[in-house]
Amino acid sequence: MFRTALRNVFAYKARLLMTAFAVMLGVTFITGSLVYGDSLNRAATATATSGYERIAVDVAPDGPRAGGPAGIDARTVRTLAKLPGVAAATGRVDGFAAVADHDGKLIGDGTSSQGGNFAPAADGKDPAYRFTEGSGPTGKDTIALDGTTAAKGGYHVGDTVRVGTSKGAASYTLNGIFRTDGTKLPSGGSLTLFTRATAQELFLQAGRFQHVELTATPGTDVTRLLSRVESVLPKGTSAVTGAGLAQIKANLATHDSDTMSQILVGFAAVALFVATFLISNTFTMLVARRTRELALMRAVGATRKQVRRILLAESLLVGAIASVAGLAVGTGVAGLLQALFAPADTPAAPLVLTPGTVITALLVGTLLPMVAAWLPIRRAMAIPPVAALSTAEQTAPARAGSLRTGLSAALAVTGTATVVYGALTTAKDARTVIGIGAALTLTGVIGLIPLLSRPVVTLFKPLLTRLAPVHGDLAARNTVRDPRRTGATATALAIALTLASGLSVLGASASQYLERATTHDLSADYVVKPTGGQQMTAVTTEPLEKLPGATYSPLNQSTEYRLGGVSSVLTGVDPTSIGQLLRYDVIEGSLDNLAKGQIAVADFKAEQAGWHVGQTLPLQRQNDKRGSVTIGAVYRADEQSDLMPSITAPDSLVARYDSAPSTHAVLVATNGGPTRTALAAVTRALGDNPALAVLDQDDIRARDSSGIGEQLNVFYALLSMALAIAALGIANTLAMSVLERRKEIGTLRALGLDRAGVTRMIRLEALLLGTLGATLGTVMGVFLGWALGRTLQESVVGYELVLPWGRLALGVLIALAGALLASLWPARRAARVDIAAATTAQ
């Protein structure tokens, strides 16, 4: 049986080629995803954990102390240094420090811009840093930079560098350039070294450290050393071994790559799911073409089980060959991805091909063809040998009353009702309900596509016949000749278009919401925000007082309040200018009451707490300061708004309870509106601080919505694999259809249809297949996008459905173009059919 299967594979190798190619693409996708993710994880782990082997124990506070000084004092550092087994105790201070290039622009994105202290030992060297140029900082006006940041900024020893922190910006002389390890420099970030005194002044306070690194003398047992350290630590301080820190860093470093790997594997699964229809369709046509051959085997004594084993062995061989090829190609693709997209600061690492990846790829690629071929093989085995010998092909047209049609219709109706219920309900598990409903709907529609093919083709047939009367009519008739084959071919395309259309709807709706929500409440010309997510202080914004013609107000957030018994956050503003900087849609009361010491409350907050204008509420902060406050206004606000506060209070009220509120943004309006001159004036007034971003409304919209567009582009690129496999399915179906219809095509040629006409007929068939899949996929995608969007409307005020007609039309056009491209080879083969040989064939 195995020899027979092997002979058949080589006998039908041209027909099985596209099936093997589809399997290879899916296995390539899975292998590339797993190898790329594992390789990236290993490289990221190596970078993040580099250097922790020199740290025996690290000591740090458990958290900020209420009412006490932050960090660890110098006396504790000296105590730790005297413990048996401790070679050195090095106090470290770190915080946010942004570096500007020669043009004053921030180097990097600011989220990983770090500053720290240079801590030289008796020999003048700090073991954490290896200097390639110069040396560590020696005075308050000198710094050292990591090599990557210095190269990006074009800096050399002796240059002047502008560095910004939460306490303002200053210029320093570059004293040295260094390399370091994962204990100090975050992946993709920058690191600026200051002297100990300067770092403490900028990030903490004099004489105190954020953590202490202990190195051990040779032969010291780290576990015992940890016990000694813990016995002398002050209350509120804890210790962990360097190995423990390395494991924590490794987990953090691999999180992003794990997420990307999971996304890639998910899309690989979609590609393989699409490939299943191609494989099933191919074996359906192959088995139909070999009906006489299989019947003859049955007639001479082969049992159903033996014939089934031969056919399954054929699918196994195809899958095994394609899997091995996909494994090799996928590993190469992973190497290409690593070269193109791996972070620049991650050291080159060898590709990681684990046994688990090999086994997964081979199992998936080998078993998938067998599973996909099972149904057509089972259907063929149900045909009696005598009946099979009497005809060349057994067709099984879709019937409205068949069990499959009824079950599919029930699944589609149930799934649609479930999706609608999930979209309209306010339950927390609405998205899970929609997911279940979507799976049922998709399964049902897949079963109904053979039945739907005839009405869809009938709908578009007039257009085709108008363009090409004879060829269009022939193409429409050929397309619906075998509805199941047509349905299976179109299903692959429909699945890919469903995902693409659904993502387009969600992406366009979310982008419009973000564009509106981020600036809808903003009247100010500029918003000043820290680049690294840090908090500003009053000192940061004081220079704006000297800016001519400027109106500004900080948004000073103050937390840990109990207002009327409800946990609350107060945002202090300048009551005289805030009305010019934010658009308050006042429902009740007046915003002018802020100047009287009253507060204004967002409508959602007032509704949740049952508050109203004129109500006086008891106010208490965590430090037991007590008082009362009156509600002077209620205004409409989006709960997710980044700028509009939930409770707006005059800054004098906040200052009474909180001496150091955090300023998360500053709103600025200038005379004449936003201009380049005004932008330069605001930036200059803030001290050309790279730690602060001065954003106009266009900048804010672009920044907040750009991430969605980038993610959608990645997803579209991944879905292109599924589209490619769907196009292969169309090509495969048409090619085998041409083989089956050689006599028919020869007859048409003999009756006067020229080669160009045959080519046009096959291309129109491909166009109809593409139209069927694209139409159903787009409709289902829009439906699911609407349903998922509905679940966001409860939590995201202002979210509305947006139909991106341009993207949807582009998706349909790409699908149709892919179908036409897929028809080139089958159409060429059809046009070259020999008239005499075809018409005399039996």
Side-chain angles (χ1 to χ4, degrees):
M1 287 188 295
F2 182 79
R3 286 198 302 268
T4 303
L6 185 62
R7 177 183 59 80
N8 289 337
V9 167
F10 284 104
Y12 299 102
K13 56 182 180 295
R15 305 180 189 183
L16 292 170
L17 181 61
M18 289 188 184
T19 296
F21 190 60
V23 176
M24 188 194 75
L25 283 179
V27 174
T28 295
F29 210 156
I30 282 186
T31 304
S33 304
L34 295 176
V35 172
Y36 176 66
D38 291 340
S39 303
L40 199 61
N41 279 350
R42 178 171 294 184
T45 300
T47 300
T49 59
S50 172
Y52 280 96
E53 64 277 359
R54 64 177 173 78
I55 301 175
V57 177
D58 188 88
V59 178
D62 295 329
R65 298 181 184 178
I72 300 172
D73 58 27
R75 184 174 63 180
T76 301
V77 177
R78 291 192 293 269
T79 302
L80 292 172
K82 296 176 181 178
L83 289 176
V86 174
T90 306
R92 299 291 184 186
V93 184
D94 52 62
F96 174 72
V99 182
D101 60 18
H102 287 292
D103 296 326
K105 296 181 180 179
L106 174 69
I107 298 176
D109 60 5
T111 56
S112 299
S113 299
Q114 298 290 320
N117 65 306
F118 179 63
D123 59 359
K125 297 181 180 180
D126 188 330
Y129 308 104
R130 301 175 298 282
F131 281 86
T132 57
E133 295 183 46
S135 61
T138 55
K140 62 180 299 183
D141 296 327
T142 61
I143 60 168
L145 288 177
D146 69 275
T148 302
T149 303
K152 289 179 180 178
Y155 287 121
H156 302 281
V157 172
D159 289 349
T160 299
V161 183
R162 191 75 173 169
V163 181
T165 66
S166 59
K167 293 188 177 180
S171 296
Y172 300 86
T173 300
L174 183 60
N175 213 49
I177 298 173
F178 61 86
R179 290 185 297 173
T180 187
D181 49 44
T183 64
K184 303 301 173 193
L185 183 60
S187 177
S190 64
L191 178 59
T192 306
L193 291 183
F194 304 87
T195 63
R196 181 187 63 189
T198 304
Q200 288 175 334
E201 178 185 350
L202 291 173
F203 306 131
L204 200 58
Q205 65 185 73
R208 303 194 73 84
F209 302 92
Q210 275 150 333
H211 64 107
V212 182
E213 295 175 354
L214 303 180
T215 55
T217 56
T220 300
D221 184 273
V222 175
T223 304
R224 293 183 179 179
L225 178 59
L226 179 63
S227 299
R228 295 191 201 109
V229 169
E230 290 175 335
S231 66
V232 300
L233 289 181
K235 186 178 180 181
T237 307
S238 60
V240 63
T241 63
L245 275 179
Q247 185 59 51
I248 294 172
K249 292 290 185 180
N251 294 337
L252 293 174
T254 58
H255 178 267
D256 290 341
S257 54
D258 283 341
T259 301
M260 178 54 69
S261 182
Q262 290 167 5
I263 292 174
L264 290 172
V265 170
F267 278 94
V270 172
L272 286 170
F273 184 57
V274 171
T276 302
F277 293 94
L278 188 157
I279 299 165
S280 179
N281 219 18
T282 300
F283 272 91
T284 298
M285 291 183 285
L286 278 177
V287 170
R289 288 284 296 172
R290 296 163 60 189
T291 302
R292 285 178 177 272
E293 173 191 334
L294 299 177
L296 185 59
M297 293 176 65
R298 295 276 309 281
V300 297
T303 65
R304 288 185 178 183
K305 184 178 296 186
Q306 287 176 321
V307 176
R308 185 183 299 115
R309 285 176 181 175
I310 291 173
L311 294 174
L312 287 176
E314 292 177 22
S315 64
L316 177 67
L317 285 170
V318 171
I321 294 170
S323 298
V324 173
L327 186 64
V329 176
T331 304
V333 168
L336 182 61
L337 290 174
Q338 189 180 53
L340 293 177
F341 302 113
D345 58 324
T346 301
L351 293 177
V352 179
L353 183 61
T354 64
T357 298
V358 175
I359 293 172
T360 300
L362 293 179
L363 279 179
V364 169
T366 302
L367 295 179
L368 179 65
M370 296 181 65
V371 173
W374 174 259
L375 185 61
I377 292 173
R378 180 176 177 273
R379 190 182 300 136
M381 292 301 98
I383 302 175
V386 175
L389 285 169
S390 65
T391 181
E393 180 180 0
Q394 298 292 327
T395 60
R399 299 186 304 275
S402 67
L403 177 62
R404 167 178 169 166
T405 301
L407 181 60
S408 299
L411 287 173
V413 171
T414 303
T416 301
T418 304
V419 171
V420 172
Y421 171 77
L424 299 180
T425 187
T426 57
K428 293 182 179 179
D429 58 352
R431 292 172 195 167
T432 302
V433 172
I434 290 175
I436 296 173
L440 294 175
T441 302
L442 189 60
T443 304
V445 170
I446 289 173
L448 288 175
I449 284 182
L451 195 66
L452 296 173
S453 61
R454 190 176 297 277
V456 172
V457 170
T458 302
L459 177 65
F460 289 98
K461 182 178 178 180
L463 177 62
L464 292 182
T465 53
R466 181 174 299 180
L467 296 175
V470 175
H471 313 98
D473 183 66
L474 288 173
R477 290 173 182 271
N478 290 331
T479 302
V480 297
R481 175 180 295 184
D482 190 337
R484 285 184 176 175
R485 178 190 302 177
T486 299
T489 306
T491 295
L493 197 59
I495 293 171
L497 262 294
T498 297
L499 294 174
S501 301
L503 288 172
S504 295
V505 171
L506 286 174
S509 302
S511 294
Q512 177 172 293
Y513 163 74
L514 285 175
E515 288 182 7
R516 185 174 62 249
T518 52
T519 57
H520 178 266
D521 301 324
L522 184 63
S523 301
D525 299 326
Y526 300 105
V527 176
V528 181
K529 285 194 170 187
T531 56
Q534 307 296 310
Q535 299 295 336
M536 296 178 283
T537 64
V539 176
T540 310
T541 58
E542 281 179 0
L544 291 173
E545 295 180 2
K546 302 177 182 179
L547 184 63
T551 301
Y552 79 96
S553 174
L555 300 180
N556 295 319
Q557 282 191 343
S558 185
T559 60
E560 300 175 345
Y561 288 90
R562 299 290 294 179
L563 182 59
V566 177
S567 179
S568 304
V569 175
L570 270 61
T571 301
V573 301
D574 182 352
T576 62
S577 62
I578 192 62
Q580 306 172 47
L581 303 171
L582 285 179
R583 293 189 182 95
Y584 281 85
D585 184 5
V586 178
I587 302 173
E588 188 180 2
S590 173
L591 203 63
D592 294 337
N593 290 328
L594 289 175
K596 301 176 183 179
Q598 298 179 2
I599 62 172
V601 181
D603 55 351
F604 65 85
K605 185 74 173 180
E607 183 178 353
Q608 292 169 359
W611 297 338
H612 57 82
V613 170
Q615 184 176 0
T616 299
L617 302 171
L619 178 65
Q620 179 183 3
R621 199 158 185 261
Q622 190 178 39
N623 58 10
D624 289 333
K625 287 186 178 180
R626 299 172 183 269
S628 62
V629 67
T630 300
I631 300 176
V634 174
Y635 54 88
R636 290 189 179 89
D638 184 351
E639 195 169 351
Q640 272 69 42
S641 175
D642 187 42
L643 294 176
M644 184 63 73
S646 60
I647 300 177
T648 305
D651 47 17
S652 58
L653 175 65
V654 171
R656 193 184 312 160
Y657 294 90
D658 188 354
S659 59
S662 60
T663 303
H664 80 283
V666 182
L667 310 178
V668 184
T670 57
N671 287 338
T675 63
R676 290 185 179 181
T677 303
L679 176 62
V682 174
T683 304
R684 188 167 51 252
L686 292 170
D688 292 315
N689 190 344
L692 301 177
V694 183
L695 309 171
D696 61 19
Q697 295 195 20
D698 290 337
D699 293 332
I700 296 172
R701 283 192 291 267
R703 185 189 66 175
D704 291 341
S705 61
S706 61
I708 293 179
E710 293 172 357
Q711 291 176 2
L712 283 177
N713 290 336
V714 172
F715 292 154
Y716 290 150
L718 296 174
L719 283 174
S720 63
M721 182 69 74
L723 285 171
I725 294 175
L728 286 176
I730 293 175
N732 203 28
T733 297
L734 292 176
M736 300 195 72
S737 176
V738 168
L739 287 173
E740 294 174 355
R741 292 155 48 196
R742 289 182 71 252
K743 186 172 183 178
E744 174 188 323
I745 293 172
T747 303
L748 290 173
R749 290 289 313 283
L751 292 175
L753 190 66
D754 58 8
R755 289 187 174 185
V758 173
T759 299
R760 185 178 303 172
M761 178 184 68
I762 299 299
R763 288 178 180 174
L764 289 176
E765 289 182 36
L767 199 59
L768 281 172
L769 287 171
T771 301
L772 175 61
T775 301
L776 295 176
T778 301
V779 171
M780 287 192 294
V782 171
F783 174 60
L784 294 179
W786 164 80
L788 289 172
R790 285 280 307 181
T791 65
L792 299 174
Q793 290 181 343
E794 292 294 328
S795 57
V796 182
V797 179
Y799 178 93
E800 296 178 355
L801 176 69
V802 175
L803 294 180
W805 296 109
R807 291 183 186 177
L808 295 176
L810 180 61
V812 172
L813 288 176
I814 291 175
L816 296 181
L820 286 175
L821 286 174
S823 70
L824 294 180
W825 177 55
R828 184 170 179 268
R829 293 191 65 181
R832 296 175 64 183
V833 169
D834 183 81
I835 298 177
T839 52
T840 57
Q842 297 298 320

